[in-house]
Every structure is written in C-alpha cells, then in structure tokens.
Amino acid sequence: MKRVIAETVNYTISLDGEINRLYLTLRGFWTDPSVTPDYVKNIVLAIERLDSPFTALVDVREMLTPGHLVKNLHIEAQRLAIAAGLSRSAEVFPKGISRELELESYSRESRLLRRGFKSIEEAERWLDLPDGSI
C-alpha cells in the first residue's frame, strides 16, 4: 500500500514498503531549485524508509522539460537514492522526445540504471521482474 511522504504542486513522493518501491510523480516546469526547495530532503525522507535494494517508478507525464538550472538537483537526488540502494528506475514518459532525452542525460551522469516506458503498467511489470529484463 502506497504511503505519501511529501506532496507539493511540483511533485509527489510516496513509497510502498510491501514491494520496497519509491514512487515519484513530477509535474510542471522546474525553472530553478527554488521552485522545489525541499525536494532532495523529501527524497531522503522516503529512501530512509526503504530497504536496500529498492526500485523506483518515476512518472514524468505531467512534467515539462526541466530548466538547465535543476539538472544538478535531479542528479543529486539520484545519487543519494543509488547510495541508499536504488537498483533500477522505471520512468514513464508521454510522447515527446526532448523531456526523455534530458532526463536520460541526468541518469547517465548519476549512473542510474533506468528504462523508459509509456505506461505505469509496463513500468510496474518491469520493476516486478527480479532481474529487470523483459
């Protein structure tokens, strides 16, 4: 059962302890880090409640391509999650390649194992597989 850790106009962070999964929904246009001042702190609050290794499902269907000033914010959150035991992340995108390419570049820099999907259901199925292959 999902439990909400933090919810703002720009994001919702929740987790499901039964399946050891972080859920992150990102919304709107993040121009700079001041738009989401507690984002990294709230990510840490969530990952502290999960056991290593854990998975993440990131829904960016309502997020606009982020401004370049928030790149380091996302990379920092990913690196903290990886250090806490994040094994892989499934990211759900709408149609539109620029957003996916931007977020993929963050994952490359943080060395996050990720895969993009077009639906929550596909992403959940991939995360539920023990080895992450389809």
Side-chain angles (χ1 to χ4, degrees):
M1 181 168 176
K2 285 187 193 176
R3 181 173 132 208
V4 175
I5 301 301
E7 188 162 17
T8 72
V9 68
N10 292 318
Y11 63 84
T12 300
I13 301 171
S14 56
L15 56 89
D16 186 330
E18 290 180 26
I19 59 173
N20 208 32
R21 185 163 299 150
L22 174 72
Y23 288 88
L24 180 58
T25 301
L26 305 176
R27 294 179 289 275
F29 180 58
W30 298 24
T31 53
D32 62 68
S34 70
V35 173
T36 57
D38 295 325
Y39 175 67
V40 172
K41 178 184 86 172
N42 288 328
I43 290 286
V44 170
L45 286 173
I47 61 179
E48 287 176 343
R49 290 166 172 80
L50 294 167
D51 296 321
S52 179
F54 64 91
T55 58
L57 193 151
V58 182
D59 182 352
V60 294
R61 293 176 296 174
E62 297 177 35
M63 182 184 199
L64 300 175
T65 302
H68 70 281
L69 297 175
V70 298
K71 176 181 180 177
N72 289 336
L73 184 73
H74 287 291
I75 292 169
E76 178 184 4
Q78 289 176 359
R79 285 183 175 157
L80 289 168
I82 292 166
L86 175 61
S87 61
R88 65 186 187 270
S89 176
E91 298 173 1
V92 182
F93 295 94
K95 294 185 177 169
I97 195 160
S98 65
R99 185 174 348 168
E100 186 169 1
L101 289 175
E102 183 68 25
L103 296 176
E104 184 178 304
S105 76
Y106 300 168
S107 299
R108 267 195 316 274
E109 193 161 329
S110 70
R111 301 184 189 274
L112 173 63
L113 174 60
R114 64 164 291 281
R115 188 166 178 180
F117 296 91
K118 297 299 179 198
S119 76
I120 296 288
E121 296 77 21
E122 284 180 298
E124 291 273 14
R125 278 194 300 274
W126 180 69
L127 290 172
D128 289 342
L129 293 171
D131 65 357
S133 61
I134 292 186

